[in-house]
Amino acid sequence: MAEIIQKDGTWTFDGDAVRVVPGRDKDVGPLRQALGELSVPLHAIAGISYEPGRKAGRLRLRPRDGADPLTQGTAGRLPDTADPYKLAVDPARAAVAEYFVDEVRNALLLDRVDPGPTDAYLLPGPPVPVTAEAGDATVSFDGDTITLDWNWTAEDAKHSVGPSRFRVADVRAVEWVPAKGLSNGRLRFTLAGAQAAPAPKYDPYAAELFGFGKKELLTALVAAAVTVRLPHPAAPATPTAPATPSAPTAIPRPASPDHDVLLRRLRELGELHKEGVLTADEFLAAKTAILGDF
């Protein structure tokens, strides 16, 4: 077993999974603290690396594309301080970090883990219920219903419709973008059949993110909890039901011969029967077939 203990957190590898536990240092952000312990199975890992630095090095664990709902729901936009797959390492523990990397890499090679994308989530996502304070709303999700309760900063367009409540079954996409510089971020839900959405400040299915506090990043947990309950974007398409076979087309029956022709055939049959060419049974069968054409 390999283990590295730092103020930023503790990582442990037992050969099957990397256990990620956030530290209690004041610099550990609220998102990592709220997310708590993660167990990342070996088959969900694409790679691991150690980046040395003067003041602090960094361990980086990279989940396979599509394996982690948090990474998927945030589109990789989490800042380093909120990313649970990055661990600050004291330079004095660089050798331990490098040993940890070697152990995980060797296991990946021995187990022949495919580092490529997955078509299903391999991590469970954040537990529910989950609630987070956004810029203009409180966003909550109980596993079935998403609620956006507007606060005093929300536009009148949002207050006029009241709190937004909708089921996860009606959600088709989640977009999470953190605030950056002078640009506000957003947590937007796209519902089935939705038309072009207005700007997030007016959209009743979007919460604006102002970026004024670290706790706003907790909205990423809501994004991940909803994302893991949506169809995986790389999942194989559901096979369509085979087309119902149409009723066989009736083969048109040839037009009945002219009655005079049929009568002539009957006379010919009668003569053949009299002459002994046809038996009684053969004559009766042929006569019945001809009479069926009348």
Side-chain angles (χ1 to χ4, degrees):
M1 185 176 78
E3 183 177 61
I4 180 166
I5 302 172
Q6 294 291 280
K7 290 181 179 180
D8 198 33
T10 299
W11 286 16
T12 307
F13 179 56
D14 61 3
D16 295 318
V18 174
R19 179 171 168 257
V20 175
V21 180
R24 297 182 178 180
D25 189 72
K26 60 182 179 62
D27 292 328
V28 176
L31 186 148
R32 289 174 57 198
Q33 293 175 359
L35 189 60
E37 179 181 327
L38 290 176
S39 180
V40 187
L42 188 66
H43 64 277
I45 299 173
I48 187 172
S49 62
Y50 172 66
E51 304 166 357
R54 287 186 178 181
K55 292 185 177 180
R58 179 167 290 164
L59 267 177
R60 290 180 182 265
L61 186 70
R62 184 166 61 87
R64 294 169 61 188
D65 289 345
D68 174 40
L70 177 63
T71 305
Q72 185 75 29
T74 59
R77 298 187 181 102
L78 282 176
D80 285 353
T81 55
D83 192 334
Y85 303 114
K86 295 174 183 175
L87 179 72
V89 178
D90 187 280
R93 305 294 288 172
V96 177
E98 290 171 349
Y99 171 75
F100 192 95
V101 168
D102 288 342
E103 287 293 293
V104 176
R105 284 180 176 172
N106 289 337
L108 290 171
L109 289 173
L110 288 173
D111 282 24
R112 297 181 181 180
V113 175
D114 180 2
T118 68
D119 58 8
Y121 294 116
L122 305 180
L123 279 84
V128 292
V130 58
T131 299
E133 297 292 335
D136 63 353
T138 298
V139 186
S140 59
F141 177 51
D142 62 6
D144 179 74
T145 302
I146 301 157
T147 303
L148 283 76
D149 280 321
W150 313 117
N151 60 34
W152 66 274
T153 66
E155 294 289 330
D156 290 341
K158 290 182 174 180
H159 281 295
S160 64
V161 298
S164 287
R165 291 185 178 87
F166 45 94
R167 301 189 63 192
V168 68
D170 297 323
V171 177
R172 293 297 173 266
V174 181
E175 180 189 25
W176 185 85
V177 180
K180 186 176 182 180
L182 298 178
S183 299
N184 290 340
R186 58 191 174 275
L187 172 59
R188 189 201 299 271
F189 302 94
T190 301
L191 273 59
Q195 303 299 319
K201 66 189 303 181
Y202 304 115
D203 188 350
Y205 302 109
E208 276 204 296
L209 307 180
F210 299 154
F212 295 150
K214 292 182 178 180
K215 287 189 176 181
E216 257 197 1
L217 291 175
L218 294 177
T219 55
L221 299 183
V222 180
V226 173
T227 295
V228 77
R229 289 166 172 79
L230 303 182
H232 194 285
T238 303
T240 55
T244 304
S246 56
T249 304
I251 300 175
R253 189 175 182 179
S256 298
D258 184 85
H259 284 192
D260 291 337
V261 175
L262 296 176
L263 289 173
R264 185 171 65 250
R265 289 181 181 175
L266 283 174
R267 285 194 295 270
E268 292 172 353
L269 284 174
E271 292 174 358
L272 292 174
H273 177 54
K274 287 180 182 180
E275 293 172 0
V277 176
L278 295 176
T279 65
D281 290 338
E282 291 172 339
F283 170 69
L284 181 60
K287 178 182 177 182
T288 301
I290 292 175
L291 292 175
D293 286 334
F294 273 98

